[in-house]
Amino acid sequence: MYQTLAWQLSLILMGALLIAFLFVARRARDRADADASVVSRAYRIRGILFWALLVVVTPVMLYTLLDLPYASAGIDRRESQVIEVVGKQWAWDLSTDRASVGTPVEFRVTSADVNHGLGIYDADMRLVAQVMAMPDYTNTLRHTFAEPGTYKLLCLEYCGLIHHDMIAELKVVAVAEEENSHE
């Protein structure tokens, strides 16, 4: 709803600016030798239009910026399990190969050599999440697995001759199963 309102207000303001521009362009062509009173009036109108525009646009801009979806983009802020992932030719090193269903997992992904693309696939080989692995930089990917199973981690960035064999597995288990494995 707010996006539609912002879009409509933007169109109206752009239309008003276009009309003002066309008006000024037409008037400027007609009056090459304007007298001082006309110039003074034009500057006064320009000042009024500037402040009117500022008064109208600033609150609208601030109001629409407050409603940007980034803060509520579905990021799960609960306590998460951290898995360190290092890509190297041609393997993935994971700090653990187990995760729990329903618990957010924070993958901290980097590379020991060249750029890699970490793709996480479910059992049907559907891509469920992805992130780049770059040398000297750690990317963070947060994902909550909804289904138990064995997920495959594949490289999405051609990284050399054995790129196709750069596969790791992550077992995602139900919470009860995870607790039993620690006993």
Side-chain angles (χ1 to χ4, degrees):
M1 176 183 140
Y2 295 121
Q3 292 291 337
T4 303
L5 178 64
W7 175 245
Q8 291 169 347
L9 283 174
S10 296
L11 288 177
I12 291 168
L13 291 174
M14 285 189 282
L17 285 175
L18 178 64
I19 290 170
F21 177 78
L22 293 175
F23 175 77
V24 169
R26 185 165 188 267
R27 296 287 291 200
R29 202 177 327 142
D30 293 343
R31 295 183 155 240
D33 56 340
D35 61 351
S37 67
V38 172
V39 171
S40 173
R41 194 172 126 217
Y43 277 115
R44 192 175 59 239
I45 291 173
R46 186 170 74 176
I48 292 169
L49 287 175
F50 171 76
W51 287 108
L53 187 66
L54 194 66
V55 167
V56 170
V57 170
T58 301
V60 170
M61 181 183 69
L62 292 175
Y63 181 72
T64 57
L65 286 176
L66 292 175
D67 202 32
L68 284 177
Y70 302 126
S72 61
I75 296 172
D76 196 343
R77 301 277 179 213
R78 294 179 291 161
E79 185 76 24
S80 61
Q81 176 185 2
V82 175
I83 299 179
E84 304 283 343
V85 181
V86 178
K88 60 184 177 185
Q89 292 178 322
W90 293 277
W92 294 107
D93 285 338
L94 282 70
S95 59
T96 179
D97 61 351
R98 294 181 67 92
S100 300
V101 171
T103 302
V105 178
E106 183 176 302
F107 294 93
R108 296 180 184 162
V109 182
T110 189
S111 172
D113 44 35
V114 297
N115 284 348
H116 299 278
L118 174 68
I120 302 172
Y121 291 85
D122 67 8
D124 297 326
M125 293 306 289
R126 283 184 298 216
L127 184 64
V128 296
Q130 66 177 354
V131 67
M132 287 299 298
M134 298 177 284
D136 300 324
Y137 187 82
T138 301
N139 271 322
T140 301
L141 169 69
R142 290 179 62 94
H143 182 73
T144 303
F145 293 94
E147 299 288 329
T150 301
Y151 290 79
K152 293 193 181 303
L153 284 62
L154 305 175
C155 183
L156 299 174
E157 182 85 21
Y158 181 73
C159 57
L161 290 176
I162 311 176
H163 158 79
H164 65 279
D165 203 27
M166 192 170 169
I167 302 171
E169 289 187 346
L170 178 69
K171 281 190 157 279
V172 177
V173 297
V175 176
E177 188 179 336
E178 180 71 19
E179 290 171 357
N180 289 338
S181 70
H182 293 292
E183 293 177 352

